[in-house]
Amino acid sequence: MSENRRAAVLGSPIAHSLSPVLHRAAYRELGLTGWTYDRFEVDETGLPDFFKHLGEDAGPAWAGLSLTMPLKRAVIPLLDEISDTAASVEAVNTVVFGDDGRRRGDNTDIPGMLAALRERGVGRVERAAVLGAGATASSALAALSRICDGEVTAYVRSEARAAEMRQWGERLGVVVRTADWGDAAEALGAPLVIATTPAGTADALAAAVPDRPGALFDVLYEPWPTPLAAAWAARGGSVVGGLDLLVHQAVLQVEQMTGRAPAPLAAMREALTAR
């Protein structure tokens, strides 16, 4: 395909984003020599203006956008439609521009989580635990709605956050029990633990990893491994990391934006590790 197209990742801050590494590697492998992928520092207040001026220059047509924080909810009013997956958590991380000019939003974080878990041999579980209650935690609940047969316990710091997680559970069809963060060590006995907290928050839990842990999905990727992930692996548990999620959600973005499937997972991962 020789047609020139452009794509980019938007967010604030954005300098740390590894999306350009992944998408450019995919373009090279797919032979899309006329495609470019950039990053733009855009916050919530600047997003409407960015969309307003898309396509005003004489450059290649836009194929799509990747969105990171804090834009995943702010972008929704600017779109013509969003997928059921994105609507389920009110978060869009992917925008694809159709030939008819329509802007369609999707969420590849949720299927990306599931793909990363499958790759590490994690299928259905009888119960699970989630550490944290932010936007990533709601995506974790959406993923768990597809693979968890029983209760999900969310460990949070406030009753307000607990109420939010219970509401997400009701919306997503997941039985959510909430517990205080002070009891988070109890989470580590679950067959699947998904840690969605900021760097450093769960470090103290490393000392509480059981002798025979199940699977841990720690969504962080820098620094890596986290103390919790290192302790988990040392005791023989299965560990899925943030880079696993990053590459799998990017694979789905590439497929949607380029119309080419399957996207070159191996080449994208190689570029990520070689950066």
Side-chain angles (χ1 to χ4, degrees):
M1 184 183 295
S2 59
E3 180 184 9
N4 295 342
R5 299 294 295 274
R6 62 165 65 169
V9 58
L10 314 181
S12 182
I14 200 61
H16 69 287
S17 175
L18 297 175
S19 292
V21 174
L22 291 164
H23 285 254
R24 291 169 185 170
Y27 298 164
R28 287 193 297 271
E29 189 71 12
L30 293 170
L32 301 177
T33 56
W35 285 59
T36 60
Y37 189 99
D38 300 300
R39 59 166 71 91
F40 293 95
E41 180 83 18
V42 180
D43 60 14
E44 293 165 293
T45 58
L47 188 61
D49 195 55
F50 186 92
F51 266 74
K52 179 181 178 181
H53 295 294
L54 279 175
E56 286 188 351
D57 58 29
W62 283 93
L65 297 170
S66 307
L67 300 170
T68 187
M69 298 302 291
L71 305 177
K72 294 184 180 183
R73 291 199 171 123
V75 73
I76 292 176
L78 305 174
L79 304 176
D80 296 301
E81 59 180 307
I82 64 173
S83 68
D84 291 341
T85 301
S88 72
V89 291
E90 296 179 359
V92 166
N93 78 329
T94 307
V95 176
V96 176
F97 299 96
D99 293 335
D100 58 0
R102 291 180 65 81
R103 301 164 174 174
R104 184 177 187 274
D106 193 15
N107 184 309
T108 64
D109 286 331
I110 296 167
M113 281 185 175
L114 292 169
L117 286 166
R118 282 195 304 270
E119 186 177 49
R120 303 290 173 159
V122 181
R124 299 205 69 84
V125 293
E126 65 268 24
R127 60 188 178 89
V130 174
L131 303 177
T136 305
S138 62
S139 291
L141 284 181
L144 288 170
S145 73
R146 307 182 190 186
I147 62 170
C148 184
D149 295 323
E151 184 177 77
V152 176
T153 304
Y155 291 82
V156 299
R157 292 189 179 277
S158 69
E159 177 52 38
R161 288 292 201 177
E164 287 178 10
M165 288 298 280
R166 289 192 294 268
Q167 289 170 1
W168 279 116
E170 291 176 9
R171 177 170 179 168
L172 294 164
V174 181
V175 178
V176 174
R177 181 177 73 85
T178 54
D180 187 82
W181 181 260
D183 298 321
E186 297 175 357
L188 308 188
L192 172 60
V193 180
I194 303 182
T196 70
T197 52
T201 305
D203 289 359
L205 296 176
V209 175
D211 290 335
R212 291 189 167 190
L216 170 70
F217 194 156
D218 192 330
V219 302
L220 294 172
Y221 61 81
E222 194 170 305
W224 186 262
T226 63
L228 179 58
W232 202 277
R235 287 167 176 77
S238 178
V239 177
V240 185
L243 287 179
D244 297 309
L245 170 59
L246 190 67
V247 70
H248 278 288
Q249 63 82 29
V251 160
L252 297 168
Q253 289 185 335
V254 168
E255 290 176 353
Q256 290 192 34
M257 293 180 191
T258 67
R260 302 277 291 273
L265 171 63
M268 293 168 71
R269 177 169 279 140
E270 183 179 354
L272 200 60
T273 57
R275 73 188 193 282

